[in-house]
Amino acid sequence: MNYQIADNLIAFSTEREDQLPFYVVQPHQVHGCEIREVTDPFTTREQLVGVDALVTDVPGVAISVRTADCIPVLLYDPVHKAVAAVHDGWRGTVQHLSRKVIDFMHYRYGTEAFDLKAVIGPGIGPESFQVGQEVVDAFAGAGFPMAEILADCGPKAPTADNPMNGGLHIDLWQANLWLLEQAGVRPENIQVTGICTYRNNHRFFSARREGTKCGRIINCIKIADSP
């Protein structure tokens, strides 16, 4: 699926049968907070071990993050012509990774959060992201507005249609929207796809439904080459 962000920008999330249209730089993610600037369009995963966010201001360099339920966040600074791809699983979200990326872009490119355009791509939705108390405690300890992102759905009652029925549920979409807004991104500049990978596993890979060895969605953003 393609995102309409700006005329000079290519941004998309791959679906199951998609083939990449060009070489895309992909990090070797570890659910951490390492941010790396990429200038070589053919940087390999082996050069990006332990990295969970990429940034660039070089036209023609396609950067991405790999997901299969985690939340991808794509950022574009139209003033300084810089982009970022962020891997926001629950651990990255708890560590405020998107905010740290915006701070990095400000330091490196002069980016101001209020100029940014953002996409929150396909990821596990709140009805499907059933969590334990330790995850709830981690979000609460990190300062998230729990009334906005936490739902207590009562005793766990899995069914064939909904194995995640009941229990505690975190809304990662809302958590990342809150992070972006807290960093200063204007709400009208944020697109939320609202597509749950767990419930749409015919279109997208879902590690929670299929296991961690499943394929990955490539969430890419690229400033188009100059004509």
Side-chain angles (χ1 to χ4, degrees), residues 197-217:
T197 45
Y198 184 87
R199 289 177 172 262
N200 289 274
N201 69 316
H202 60 288
R203 288 181 63 193
F204 298 101
F205 296 108
S206 169
R208 178 164 285 208
R209 182 176 287 279
E210 303 170 60
T212 57
K213 299 298 184 183
C214 73
R216 292 295 184 268
I217 303 159

Side-chain angles (χ1 to χ4, degrees), residues 42-227:
F42 296 104
T43 303
T44 67
R45 286 191 75 203
E46 289 72 24
Q47 295 172 284
L48 296 170
V49 174
V51 176
D52 280 85
L54 300 177
V55 301
T56 191
D57 66 346
V58 180
V61 176
I63 57 173
S64 73
V65 288
R66 298 157 56 89
T67 59
D69 284 338
C70 291
I71 308 299
V73 176
L74 302 176
L75 302 172
Y76 173 54
D77 174 358
V79 176
H80 301 91
K81 301 297 188 291
V83 293
V86 189
H87 170 233
D88 272 314
W90 75 262
R91 291 177 178 85
T93 303
V94 162
Q95 296 176 82
H96 292 203
L97 180 54
S98 288
R99 179 183 57 77
K100 291 175 180 177
V101 170
I102 293 171
D103 289 344
F104 186 96
M105 293 178 74
H106 177 74
Y107 169 79
R108 185 67 186 86
Y109 309 122
T111 297
E112 298 293 348
F114 56 78
D115 290 323
L116 284 169
K117 298 183 183 297
V119 171
I120 297 175
I124 195 163
E127 293 182 357
S128 304
F129 191 45
Q130 186 187 82
V131 301
Q133 186 63 48
E134 71 283 358
V135 175
V136 173
D137 292 343
F139 275 90
F144 283 84
M146 301 310 291
E148 297 179 23
I149 70 166
L150 175 65
D152 185 342
C153 300
K156 292 182 180 180
T159 65
D161 290 338
N162 185 11
M164 298 299 164
N165 190 43
L168 299 170
H169 288 248
I170 291 283
D171 187 339
L172 284 179
W173 299 334
Q174 181 61 33
N176 279 283
L177 179 64
W178 180 82
L179 272 181
L180 293 173
E181 291 180 353
Q182 287 294 303
V185 183
R186 292 182 290 184
E188 62 268 26
N189 285 346
I190 305 172
Q191 300 180 40
V192 182
T193 62
I195 297 174
C196 176
T197 45
Y198 184 87
R199 289 177 172 262
N200 289 274
N201 69 316
H202 60 288
R203 288 181 63 193
F204 298 101
F205 296 108
S206 169
R208 178 164 285 208
R209 182 176 287 279
E210 303 170 60
T212 57
K213 299 298 184 183
C214 73
R216 292 295 184 268
I217 303 159
I218 309 302
N219 307 275
C220 172
I221 189 164
K222 171 187 175 182
I223 302 170
D225 296 289
S226 301

